[in-house]
Every structure is written in C-alpha cells, then in structure tokens.
Amino acid sequence: MTDRTPSSLHRAMVTSPSTEASQAGADVLKNGGTATEAVVATAAMLAVTYPHFCGIGGDAVWMVSDASGKVQSFMGIGQAVENAGDSFTPNKPIPVRGVGSTLTTACTVDSWQHALDHSARNWGGKQNLSDLIAPAIDLAENGFPISASQCFWLDFRKEEIGTWPGFTDIFAPNGKMPMAGQHFYQPQLADSLKRIAKHGARDFYEGSLADRIVDGLSKLGSPITKADLAKTRTRTVDAVSLDYGDVTLFAPPAPTQGLATLMTMGVLRELGAKNWAEGMADHYHLVVEAIKRAFLKRDQIADPDFSLDDFAAMLGTESLSSAAADISPDKAMDWPHPFRHGDTVFLAAKDAQGNCASVLQSTYFDWGSGVVAGDTGIVWQNRGAAFSTNPNHPNTIKPGKRPFYTLNPGIALKNGKPHLLYGTQGADGQPQTLAMLLTRLLDFGLSPREALAKPRFLLGKTFSDANDSLKLEVDAGDDVFDTLAAHGHILRAIEAQNALAGQAGIIRIDEDGFVDGAHDPRSDGMAIGV
C-alpha cells in the first residue's frame, strides 16, 4: 500500500512497512513534531507490530540531515560481550539461533533517546520518549490484528520455534499458530516498554529492566552481563558519501555495508548508467555485475576501532574505474559466493521544517535468535552470528567489537539539501535493491511509486534456494530473461512483487520542500503525507 495523495499537499511524510506504525509517525508530524520524533514513534510501533523483523532486543542505524544538508549517522549497534567463555568454537561457525547466537548487546532503545536528544538540541524537538512510545504500549497491551507478514514467518519457522526458549508462549500460545487478522497481545513487552517510559531509555541498560533482561538471558546460558549492557551506547559518526550525477549519496560508514552500496553506485557511475534503457537487459546485467565487484571487496569491512584499513579508499576513483573496466557488457562473472541472511524494517520521515531521518531497525534474522529474555517479552537478536571465529578474518569476534552490519539506510542531497530518503529490508539484498531504485529514480526519472513497483532481482543463495542463481521477478519479461541467460547468468524466475526482492521505502523532497513517497507494494505498509 502506498500514499496516493498528491505530493503538492504535503510538506512532511513518514513511511514504514506497517500502516499502524506509519500512522503513529504521521500523528507526531501533524502535531508539529520533528522527523526524529516521528521515527521514534514509528519505530516503537514496529517493535510491536513487526516482531519478526525488529524489536527492542535489536539494533538500529540512523541517517539524519537538517534542512541545510548537514548529514550525520547514528550507529545504534550493540557490541560483543566482554567474556564469551565457551560460547563459540574457534574456526567453527557461531550458531545462528538459540542462546549461542546471543553474543552482542542491543542498542535500539538507546538510539531512540540519542536521536531525540539530537532533535532537542538542534531541531527544536520537544517531545519525550515516554509520550512517543505510548501508542506502542497501548497496542502491545490491548492487542491489534496480527499481520499476514508475521503469520507467514511463524509458519515458515514452525519446525524450529518449539526449540526457542520462551518463544511459543508468546507467539504461538498453546501450540496454536495464529491467523492473519487475529487479535494479538504482548503484555510482557508492554510492561518492558512501560518501564522504559517511566524510567528512561537507560533503564534497559543500567536499571531494573536491565536486571530482568540479564537474569532471563543468563538462566539460558547467555554470556551477556549488566556491565555489557551498561557499555552499550549509540555513536554519532560522519557518513560516507559519493557524488552521482547531480546528487550526493550518503551512507553509514564501517562496520556497515553502506560502503558496498556506494561502491556499486560508483561503478555504475563509471559505466554511464544514463546510456542504458530502464528495465532492459543491460540495466539488470550491469547492476548485477556492479554488485558482484562491490561484494568481492565487502568482506574487508569491519569495526574501524579494530582495523587499520582505509575503508574510504574503496570509493576512490581508481578503485571504481578498475572495477567498472572489469565488467563485460555481455558476459556474467561466475558467482559462487555466500549469501548473508537478515531481515529488518526501513522507516523514514521528513518534517515540515525540512529535517530528515532515514532508519533501519533489526534483530538480524527473522525472529532474531528466537530467545526471549525471561519475562520481559523481548526477543534478543542473533547479530553475534555475523562474526567470524577465524582469528585472521577482519570480522573476527573480539570483546567490545561491533560486527559487520548489513543495515545501510540512505540520504541523497541535491544542490546541498535533502532530496531522497531511502532504504530496504533484505541483508545482502539491500545494495541490490537500492541500486535498482536509485538508477530508476536518478537516471530514468521514475517516481518513488513507479520505482518501487518495477521488477527487481536477488543474487545468490537464500533461505529458500541453495543455488547461486539470479532470482528475477517474472514481470521483467521474456526478452530480459533470454538476453541475461545468453550473457551467462544462471536465472530463476520468481513471481512478481516477491518478498525476496526486499521491502523498500522512499521519500522524495522537491526543491520547493514538498514531498512524495511510497512504501513497497511487497509490504503491507504505506507512506503517509501530512
């Protein structure tokens, strides 16, 4: 579902994959709230209505800009525990589910307060965390119609969820799988959110809620301590950027894959995207090949606190030109490389004063670790599984280190002022989806709604297909499939509007300050303008 009201009526907008969440943010904007205040209200609602993709037991990465085009990134990323003990075995993969994957803290709640503090200092923000999360508390306590998306992911994991501590008591009580539209309650999560509302965000890390979280996790064998939670803080850092035509694209820096998205766009810039035809085989082929070159370098990305590498060099002209020169216009590179899983939600807002926030919030895999932290109703993330246990790998696990992160929301400036807010769910699929959206928006002049509705692809293995194929939505057309196959791409057709192609959102800001936007037709969310 997308906003269908003419953009000329709106100077503010919020977008998210949940209609209830978007409405919560829109209500804040209607009352004169800032973009970050609207995003916090939306994010809290998503923690309730989209528990399969995000929650307060996870992390968040923010990109923000004021009306003048001052862009910053808030890295709400939890760090590895100080003492993992025997939670993992060197040179063997970290478990992707269960208590063995609960090796990092969770920074989402701290990021909400961090963003509100920024809003109060710089944007005249006046609303407090307690008021902004009140609608989410009400929904968790009094119930809401469960989404089709949540039911799909419960059913998809039905053979596993019985082994996840405390999980079925909340999400499939009495062993019964809920139906879409059925009323769903989360009283324990409501109580945890109430404690945050009453005592502040840091209660999650240093107060009585922290005690309950640690007690619940430690009884299951998790190494997370209260000291680990107390060290968890959001960081304000400079974004990385790339000039692309008449706009500048901004992304969060390492340890996120924002660099991979910008590398992809840099290679496409060197290839000259405007010379292609939108939606033709060349468009798909060259974007896919640019993605491959970026992904080959992506494994170098790690926590800069633990690395001496110059990650910004990946965006140097020489590096991008070399990658572009390596691409054949009619031959695909073989691609036997691993796929990184992960699910998340994208949400964004622009307020009437021109301030913007573009955010991704996640528990990593759908349902995170599957572990519920005691009686808190909080599902903990499995982001620890993103670490390597190879001591020589850039992303090897170490105390206090942040893992490589797939989250990379974006902001684009035009003439020095915010022009696009964009992002998507989908782990490895994020740079792939964003490259298709950005070329359609910037090179071919499509509207946000048109760009989101067009066919997309996903390269590599996925949870539902172990082949290193190029999954392409069938409405790309027979001519595209035939040409790509002739170029050597190993193709698998997937249905149009397939969830594998990500759930993205876009807000576009015109030079006069008016906005238009949409959320992906592959989701049940929408963009709401006010």
Side-chain angles (χ1 to χ4, degrees), residues 390-440:
N390 177 350
N392 298 316
H393 193 281
N395 196 38
T396 189
I397 186 168
K398 290 183 179 179
K401 188 175 182 179
R402 295 169 297 166
F404 169 81
Y405 240 79
T406 53
L407 305 189
N408 69 123
I411 288 179
L413 302 186
K414 186 175 184 179
N415 298 322
K417 295 185 177 181
H419 176 55
L420 292 173
L421 313 179
Y422 53 89
T424 183
Q425 168 259 8
D428 267 11
Q430 289 186 31
Q432 304 181 48
T433 293
L434 294 181
M436 291 302 290
L437 293 177
L438 289 170
T439 53
R440 283 170 167 153

Side-chain angles (χ1 to χ4, degrees), residues 191-527:
D191 183 65
S192 293
L193 289 169
K194 285 179 181 179
R195 289 173 180 269
I196 293 167
K198 182 177 181 179
H199 301 293
R202 292 308 298 178
D203 195 65
F204 186 98
Y205 304 92
E206 301 172 41
S208 61
L209 181 54
D211 290 330
R212 291 175 60 195
I213 290 169
V214 170
D215 181 63
L217 291 175
S218 64
K219 285 179 178 177
L220 299 171
S222 172
I224 293 174
T225 67
K226 193 173 181 181
D228 291 318
L229 292 181
K231 293 174 184 175
T232 306
R233 297 277 180 175
T234 305
R235 306 185 191 191
T236 298
V237 297
D238 292 333
V240 288
S241 64
L242 175 87
D243 290 333
Y244 188 89
D246 60 355
V247 305
T248 302
L249 306 174
F250 288 84
T256 82
Q257 70 171 344
L259 284 161
T261 296
L262 295 187
M263 278 189 282
T264 301
M265 296 306 297
V267 172
L268 294 174
R269 179 190 68 189
E270 297 301 307
L271 290 170
K274 291 183 186 295
N275 297 322
W276 323 328
E278 190 281 321
M280 300 299 286
D282 281 352
H283 185 197
Y284 292 98
H285 170 70
L286 294 172
V287 172
V288 170
E289 294 305 298
I291 284 287
K292 290 175 181 177
R293 272 65 182 184
F295 278 11
L296 287 175
K297 294 189 175 183
R298 191 181 58 167
D299 263 0
Q300 301 171 30
I301 300 172
D303 188 338
D305 292 352
F306 292 78
S307 174
L308 298 177
D309 288 354
D310 179 12
F311 299 120
M314 295 179 182
L315 301 179
T317 301
E318 182 178 349
S319 175
L320 297 175
S321 296
S322 175
D326 187 54
I327 292 175
S328 167
D330 56 10
K331 183 174 174 56
M333 172 191 281
D334 291 338
W335 195 248
H337 296 279
F339 181 88
R340 293 177 186 266
H341 295 280
D343 284 299
T344 180
V345 293
F346 172 72
L347 57 157
K350 183 260 183 186
D351 62 36
Q353 290 70 46
N355 306 306
C356 302
S358 179
V359 183
L360 281 163
Q361 186 168 276
S362 174
T363 48
Y364 197 23
F365 283 28
D366 57 280
W367 303 113
S369 67
V371 174
V372 178
D375 62 356
T376 65
I378 300 170
V379 179
W380 210 257
Q381 67 181 355
N382 61 332
R383 189 62 65 168
F387 279 118
S388 171
T389 59
N390 177 350
N392 298 316
H393 193 281
N395 196 38
T396 189
I397 186 168
K398 290 183 179 179
K401 188 175 182 179
R402 295 169 297 166
F404 169 81
Y405 240 79
T406 53
L407 305 189
N408 69 123
I411 288 179
L413 302 186
K414 186 175 184 179
N415 298 322
K417 295 185 177 181
H419 176 55
L420 292 173
L421 313 179
Y422 53 89
T424 183
Q425 168 259 8
D428 267 11
Q430 289 186 31
Q432 304 181 48
T433 293
L434 294 181
M436 291 302 290
L437 293 177
L438 289 170
T439 53
R440 283 170 167 153
L441 291 163
L442 300 174
D443 294 311
F444 305 121
L446 273 62
S447 71
R449 187 178 298 111
E450 291 169 334
L452 288 164
K454 288 278 189 175
R456 300 202 293 258
F457 65 83
L458 184 66
L459 173 68
K461 295 183 175 75
T462 70
F463 59 79
S464 61
D465 186 344
N467 296 313
D468 289 305
S469 58
L470 179 64
K471 288 85 176 162
L472 179 61
E473 290 181 320
V474 68
D475 53 337
D478 291 343
D479 288 346
V480 169
F481 273 86
D482 291 345
T483 302
L484 292 178
H487 288 352
H489 293 280
I490 308 302
L491 295 165
R492 181 170 79 84
I494 55 177
E495 65 269 23
Q497 309 294 305
N498 192 290
L500 285 176
Q503 295 182 11
I506 300 168
I507 294 175
R508 182 171 64 185
I509 305 152
D510 295 331
E511 290 185 9
D512 58 9
F514 292 115
V515 297
D516 69 336
H519 214 83
D520 211 305
R522 298 161 184 82
S523 77
D524 65 355
M526 66 187 302

